[in-house]
Amino acid sequence: MRILRLWAPSLIGDHTLCYIHTNRGGNTCINDVEIPVKYARAGESLDGEEHAGAMTIVLPPEAEIDDGGFLAVGENNETLLRWHSDSSSFKVCTAGFLGVSERAEIWSPIRTAVLTVSDKGSQGQRVDTAGPELERLAFAQGCVTEERKIVPDDKEQICETVREWAGKGINLILTTGGTGLSPRDNTPEALLSVADKTVPGFGEMMRIETLKYTPRSFLTRSVAVVKDRSLVIAFPGSKRGAGQCFEAITGGLRHAVETLTGSASECGNNHHGK
């Protein structure tokens, strides 16, 4: 799918390229001018009052974005917007450029949960920084966190939480902590004990890609498994390590979740970017 037109009559009319971002007040801006951003389908009238004071992104006739859905723009989805039906406008998740003929994808929100595994964190003796970092990075991929929890390095508590969240229909469960070699590090063992399937490529990609940051990357025991229809991925316990590993696996993350939920196309067919 491609952007067909960028129309803002209160600015200069048609745009071929513009920068969308948020100002200090949290309001959406186009090229530093505060203005709501809407969308319309090709063939719909843009003459009404609704579009007069806005920037309207014109998409193909089949485009439909549900409340809370995302519009990802760019060859690598660099710009991310989220649609809010109550205001009939987009909010900026990731600032970036919009351009006519630019590639765009409509994303459904990925229901996400973040589990921090830490003895000290569960006792309030350590501030959790890795969990919020995963949540922040995941949101840039269209993942909306619904559940958060901190548990000790206890295998049964990890298993119980994963079973509970999978039973609620959470699409993606991200764990952080317990992937090292210490005696209490048992997150991989916990996940493997509840797994219906393993997805070894995620851990392999983390170890390969993070070699550029540290020669010890191969020591992480990060794993990924499937429980029911939930994808569960284990990340290191540090903010930096979790973030670097998350960035290493974004390329296949959404497709994996969509495959599990039954909304993906056949493998090898890029159904979003046509």
Side-chain angles (χ1 to χ4, degrees), residues 76-168:
N76 296 304
N77 307 313
E78 299 93 346
T79 305
L80 187 66
L81 313 177
R82 193 177 191 196
W83 181 251
H84 292 263
S85 295
D86 56 352
S87 61
S88 296
S89 63
F90 286 108
K91 297 295 184 183
V92 180
C93 302
T94 306
F97 288 97
L98 301 174
V100 173
S101 298
E102 193 79 62
R103 179 176 177 268
E105 298 181 2
I106 295 173
W107 288 351
S108 296
I110 294 176
R111 299 180 60 201
T112 303
V114 177
L115 176 64
T116 298
V117 180
S118 169
D119 285 333
K120 291 184 177 180
S122 66
Q123 298 168 10
Q125 298 176 5
R126 175 181 293 168
V127 176
D128 175 26
T129 57
E133 178 70 356
L134 284 177
E135 187 174 338
R136 181 186 70 83
L137 293 171
F139 186 67
Q141 300 298 317
C143 304
V144 179
T145 301
E146 297 183 9
E147 303 275 357
R148 305 169 187 83
K149 192 173 184 180
I150 302 177
V151 299
D153 290 275
D154 179 81
K155 182 177 177 180
E156 188 50 45
Q157 289 194 50
I158 298 169
C159 293
E160 181 182 342
T161 303
V162 169
R163 291 191 194 100
E164 176 190 346
W165 287 347
K168 290 181 177 180

Side-chain angles (χ1 to χ4, degrees), residues 32-245:
D32 292 327
V33 177
E34 187 176 319
I35 186 172
V37 176
K38 301 177 179 292
Y39 88 96
R41 290 176 281 266
E44 295 179 347
S45 173
L46 301 180
D47 295 333
E49 183 178 338
E50 176 186 2
H51 300 287
M55 161 72 79
T56 301
I57 303 171
V58 180
L59 300 172
E62 68 275 12
E64 184 172 353
I65 308 176
D66 295 329
D67 183 40
F70 295 88
L71 183 68
V73 180
E75 290 302 317
N76 296 304
N77 307 313
E78 299 93 346
T79 305
L80 187 66
L81 313 177
R82 193 177 191 196
W83 181 251
H84 292 263
S85 295
D86 56 352
S87 61
S88 296
S89 63
F90 286 108
K91 297 295 184 183
V92 180
C93 302
T94 306
F97 288 97
L98 301 174
V100 173
S101 298
E102 193 79 62
R103 179 176 177 268
E105 298 181 2
I106 295 173
W107 288 351
S108 296
I110 294 176
R111 299 180 60 201
T112 303
V114 177
L115 176 64
T116 298
V117 180
S118 169
D119 285 333
K120 291 184 177 180
S122 66
Q123 298 168 10
Q125 298 176 5
R126 175 181 293 168
V127 176
D128 175 26
T129 57
E133 178 70 356
L134 284 177
E135 187 174 338
R136 181 186 70 83
L137 293 171
F139 186 67
Q141 300 298 317
C143 304
V144 179
T145 301
E146 297 183 9
E147 303 275 357
R148 305 169 187 83
K149 192 173 184 180
I150 302 177
V151 299
D153 290 275
D154 179 81
K155 182 177 177 180
E156 188 50 45
Q157 289 194 50
I158 298 169
C159 293
E160 181 182 342
T161 303
V162 169
R163 291 191 194 100
E164 176 190 346
W165 287 347
K168 290 181 177 180
I170 295 294
N171 306 135
L172 177 65
I173 300 172
L174 308 176
T175 76
T176 172
T179 61
L181 301 177
S182 298
R184 291 279 292 170
D185 288 334
N186 55 26
T187 300
E189 287 74 22
L191 299 189
L192 291 170
S193 73
V194 300
D196 298 322
K197 296 178 181 178
T198 61
V199 193
F202 281 103
E204 292 165 0
M205 186 61 72
M206 290 182 200
R207 286 180 279 275
I208 291 169
E209 288 297 310
T210 56
L211 269 174
K212 60 189 175 186
Y213 303 116
T214 172
R216 300 188 185 92
S217 68
F218 64 90
L219 294 177
T220 182
R221 299 187 303 118
S222 294
V223 298
V225 304
V226 174
K227 173 60 180 172
D228 299 336
R229 286 185 172 268
S230 300
L231 177 63
V232 190
I233 309 176
F235 293 87
S238 71
K239 175 182 177 180
R240 182 178 180 183
Q244 290 171 347
C245 285

Side-chain angles (χ1 to χ4, degrees), residues 5-15 30 35 51-56:
R5 188 181 185 187
L6 296 169
W7 173 243
S10 64
L11 298 180
I12 60 170
D14 276 303
H15 288 62
I30 295 291
I35 186 172
H51 300 287
M55 161 72 79
T56 301

